Amino acid sequence: MTQESGELALPTRTPDAVAALLEQLILDGVFRPGQLLPSERRLCDRLGVSRSSLREGLRVLRSKGIIVTRQGRGSVVADLVPGRDDSPLMHLLRDHPRTLYDLLEVRSLLEGESAKLAAERATPTDRVLIQRRYEAMVDYVKDGGAIEVKQLAHLDHAFHLAICQASHNPVLVHTLQTLNDLLLSSVFASVKNLYHRKAPREMINRQHARIYRAIVEGKPQAARRAALEHLAGIGQQLREIEAEDQRLERSAMRQKEWE
């Protein structure tokens, strides 16, 4: 295969060169954790290498734990950032509600830049995937039926994850994946506490639409600004609800003093 024909080409056909290119494709998100790699024949054709070089290159990746090969099933990209849901840190962060605001700050740092980079770098395929995730989220709430918090949280999270993947920054993508469970829990908290209220619900829907439009229209600064406004708005709404609950609790306590 040649560069003129649009196919990938290697400067050499050594196993190490094959392994290096496959590693780059995994880092770039072309092949993602849990994904089955194409057949050897297809990989050889696509990369322009011999089957022996490919097999040796795959062996290098297996020795590093980057892929896992199962008899009769082929090779699968390994979980590059193994989950540690049982770690002490995870328990501490999950069990203390105040960390929700810390998570929103982290999401602002990461997702604001993700949105900006996605608007700059998204390929047509990326935009289609973002569109699908956005429309799935919108369609779920558009029907007017009962909303299952967990389902909507997963759809919301999938939309933001698709944006991150469109940034084409592998370090950013894998950093977010290490925080996946915590970030999902923050989305769950915002949906659970805000989405049943008319004003916050309309705010969230409006902000999601702004993020989506800015990215598909290729407006980096507008995308970053919309993402930051979205997370700042969620934080503000949650704090207002928290303050309201505290006022109600104090009022109830004062009332009890006179009973």
Side-chain angles (χ1 to χ4, degrees), residues 23-252:
E23 287 174 351
Q24 188 61 54
L25 293 173
I26 291 170
L27 276 174
D28 291 343
V30 176
F31 301 132
R32 295 173 179 167
Q35 181 178 344
L36 182 68
L37 293 179
S39 67
E40 287 187 359
R41 179 178 179 180
R42 183 169 176 78
L43 282 173
C44 288
D45 290 343
R46 187 75 175 92
L47 303 179
V49 299
S50 68
R51 182 160 294 188
S52 60
S53 291
L54 176 66
R55 287 177 175 173
E56 283 299 305
L58 292 174
R59 186 187 60 77
V60 172
L61 296 189
R62 277 196 299 275
S63 69
K64 295 179 179 181
I66 295 173
I67 65 171
V68 177
T69 302
R70 297 182 178 90
Q71 189 65 30
R73 292 187 56 192
S75 297
V76 176
V77 180
D79 185 358
L80 302 180
V81 186
R84 285 297 311 279
D85 294 344
D86 59 342
S87 70
L89 177 61
M90 285 296 192
H91 286 301
L92 283 172
L93 294 177
R94 272 200 299 259
D95 293 343
H96 291 268
R98 298 301 306 173
T99 60
L100 173 59
Y101 298 110
D102 298 327
L103 281 170
L104 289 174
E105 287 182 359
V106 172
R107 287 184 62 189
S108 294
L109 292 170
L110 298 178
E111 294 183 21
E113 198 62 23
S114 291
K116 174 179 175 291
L117 293 175
E120 291 176 342
R121 301 174 178 177
T123 65
T125 300
D126 292 327
R127 293 192 182 94
V128 168
L129 182 57
I130 292 171
Q131 179 182 359
R132 288 176 180 172
R133 297 291 183 261
Y134 175 72
E135 290 177 349
M137 180 175 58
V138 170
D139 290 344
Y140 183 73
V141 300
K142 187 170 61 177
D143 295 337
I147 292 175
E148 212 287 310
V149 172
K150 186 175 181 180
Q151 175 67 13
L152 180 55
H154 277 283
L155 292 171
D156 188 323
H157 182 58
F159 169 63
H160 290 288
L161 183 58
I163 292 171
C164 177
Q165 290 169 339
S167 73
H168 290 275
N169 182 317
V171 176
L172 181 57
V173 172
H174 293 303
T175 297
L176 280 173
Q177 285 180 340
T178 64
L179 301 172
N180 187 69
D181 289 338
L182 284 174
L183 296 179
L184 181 57
S185 71
S186 78
V187 175
F188 180 86
S190 63
V191 171
K192 181 179 180 180
N193 290 288
L194 300 180
Y195 212 80
H196 64 286
R197 299 169 182 251
K198 185 174 186 295
R201 179 174 66 249
E202 291 177 348
M203 177 198 75
I204 292 171
N205 291 344
R206 185 169 59 250
Q207 290 169 342
H208 278 155
R210 287 175 181 168
I211 295 170
Y212 168 70
R213 285 198 302 270
I215 290 173
V216 298
E217 292 173 5
K219 299 177 179 178
Q221 295 305 324
R224 183 177 184 274
R225 185 166 56 251
L228 293 177
E229 289 175 355
H230 172 54
L231 293 163
I234 288 174
Q236 180 181 347
Q237 291 290 333
L238 289 172
R239 285 187 173 88
E240 289 178 3
I241 291 172
E242 186 178 46
E244 178 185 343
D245 289 343
Q246 290 174 352
R247 288 194 296 269
L248 291 173
E249 183 178 347
R250 288 194 296 270
S251 297

